[in-house]
Amino acid sequence: MAPEANHEASTYPGVSYVMPVLNEAGYIEAAVASIFAQEYPADSEIVLALGPSSDGTDAIVERLANADPRIRIVRNPGMDIPIGLNLAIAASRHPIIVRVDAHTELAPGYTLRGVQTLERTGAASLGGVMSAVGRPGFQSAVARAYNSRFGLGGGAYHGGAHEGPAESAYMGIMRADALAQVGGFDETLRRGEDWELNYRLRQAGHLVWLDPELQVRYWPRSTWSRLARQFHSTGIWRGELVRRLGGKNPLRFFAPPALVIVTLLAVVLLPFHLTGLLSGPIGMLLALLYLGPLAYLLLLLVAGIAIDGSLGDRARFVLVLATMHLSWGIGFLIGVVRGARDAVDTSRTES
């Protein structure tokens, strides 16, 4: 991360890494170490937006900051990610902002490649590909689901995409002046802030870019309850964005809530079919609803068979997929019907 030579450093803009941090004792040091390993040939700094953690994270961050003057701390007492990001960006000194999460690790050469792509394309915001990893057991199954085409619904940053203009940017590398022009992250959102920011950048005429050569290692939630709460909260806030922006949201976001609705209708109608209260043409027409959950069960079965591993590995993978889809879909419907209100991602704050 330190300059290699003065003449080379002068050709590259300075970079500020911004990171919201809350209850990340098991991950924060690796995230910071991946930044220090970047060998970016110009000035750089790390600005950590530190929330009131309860797991010893604060002491770790204080130790890291005391050991290296390139790390600075801004306090984020409200804990919300968009507020923390805006606080860190406001405290930053450089024209390029690189977002890093405490659950992520940047691949070697990430920053240099990202800045070069930013300059080559003229983009205001760009991102790369998430590469989820997990410790053996449940977290490994979650990582496998993140990386699977069955998992997160086809977002380009989950792999398989080609370089080019994009809808959003994962862990964005951004121009500070463009962020200032659109007002930074929307502090009324608690999830989906990246997508919404890049939407406003695109609306303002800026280019958002995907470079699949950029790799970010991501450590997902490691327990079932945390995963369910994370996806439920994310779904709620996506529902809130649909309330705000309507059909400007991609169609893929509507698949999980559609599955939830069809499944609920099938559960309600099943007793009527079994008892013969629903029959004739109407009954046959309504029976088509069962195709939805049956097709989904078949999809889960195929997904479980397609992966390598033991029977336990396959069962965990299928459980994770269903948890992601159904938790997200239920949350989405809640967010659309009543709005997000004060919904919080408790997977970050509770055990």
Side-chain angles (χ1 to χ4, degrees):
M1 149 168 177
E4 296 178 352
N6 289 336
H7 72 278
E8 186 178 3
S10 66
T11 66
Y12 285 92
V15 166
S16 295
Y17 300 89
V18 298
M19 184 191 305
V21 182
L22 177 68
N23 290 328
E24 299 288 1
Y27 299 95
I28 180 63
E29 290 186 90
V32 170
S34 77
I35 296 173
F36 282 136
Q38 288 299 292
E39 297 184 351
Y40 181 69
D43 290 339
S44 55
E45 63 179 351
I46 303 174
V47 186
L48 304 178
L50 184 59
S53 299
S54 58
D55 67 345
T57 296
D58 291 21
I60 296 172
V61 168
E62 295 283 357
R63 172 170 55 80
L64 292 172
N66 289 335
D68 197 308
R70 291 171 294 179
I71 299 177
R72 293 189 293 123
I73 299 171
V74 294
R75 300 292 171 176
N76 181 27
M79 300 187 293
D80 288 345
I81 290 174
I83 294 175
L85 287 169
N86 282 343
L87 288 170
I89 292 168
S92 297
R93 302 175 177 137
H94 297 305
I96 303 298
I97 303 296
V98 178
R99 175 177 174 174
V100 187
D101 277 359
H103 260 249
T104 64
E105 297 169 24
L106 305 182
Y110 175 90
T111 306
L112 181 59
R113 166 81 186 197
V115 172
Q116 290 173 338
T117 302
L118 206 67
E119 295 300 313
R120 170 171 57 85
T121 62
S125 172
L126 70 88
V129 175
M130 172 199 289
S131 177
V133 294
R135 300 180 178 99
F138 188 83
Q139 190 181 42
S140 178
V142 177
R144 178 173 270 181
Y146 267 80
N147 295 330
S148 168
R149 66 182 184 276
F150 296 109
L152 295 180
Y157 64 82
H158 298 297
H162 300 287
E163 182 176 5
E167 168 191 309
S168 188
Y170 175 64
M171 294 292 104
I173 300 175
M174 302 163 283
R175 299 182 189 273
D177 56 356
L179 294 182
Q181 179 189 345
V182 299
F185 288 91
D186 186 340
E187 297 183 0
T188 68
L189 296 173
R190 285 179 170 150
R191 303 290 296 180
E193 72 282 347
D194 286 326
W195 186 91
E196 192 277 339
L197 171 68
N198 284 286
Y199 170 79
R200 282 186 286 118
L201 285 170
R202 289 187 286 110
Q203 291 297 108
H206 293 290
L207 178 64
V208 177
W209 195 262
L210 170 70
D211 183 354
E213 293 298 317
L214 298 173
Q215 297 283 325
V216 179
R217 173 182 284 190
Y218 172 73
W219 294 90
R221 301 299 190 266
S222 57
T223 68
W224 180 85
S225 62
R226 286 181 181 272
L227 180 71
R229 282 180 277 155
Q230 178 194 17
F231 273 76
H232 181 72
S233 174
T234 303
I236 287 176
W237 284 99
R238 176 55 61 178
E240 172 68 25
L241 282 172
V242 167
R243 287 171 65 95
R244 298 186 188 190
L245 301 176
K248 295 171 184 176
N249 292 267
L251 286 176
R252 69 177 183 274
F253 291 135
F254 295 87
L259 170 66
V260 171
I261 291 172
V262 170
T263 302
L264 288 175
L265 289 174
V267 169
V268 170
L269 291 175
L270 183 60
F272 294 94
H273 276 110
L274 292 177
T275 58
L277 293 176
L278 267 179
S279 59
I282 294 179
M284 292 179 63
L285 181 63
L286 291 175
L288 294 176
L289 288 170
Y290 300 125
L291 294 177
L294 288 174
Y296 182 66
L297 289 174
L298 179 61
L299 173 68
L300 292 179
L301 179 62
V302 170
I305 293 173
I307 68 167
D308 297 326
S310 67
L311 182 60
D313 292 334
R314 296 168 191 267
R316 280 189 292 268
F317 178 65
V318 169
L319 172 64
V320 166
L321 287 178
T323 299
M324 286 179 169
H325 299 153
L326 297 177
S327 297
W328 199 96
I330 292 169
F332 180 97
L333 293 173
I334 293 172
V336 167
V337 170
R338 66 162 178 80
R341 298 183 184 176
D342 58 351
V344 176
D345 178 8
T346 59
S347 71
R348 301 174 63 241
T349 59
E350 300 174 8
S351 60

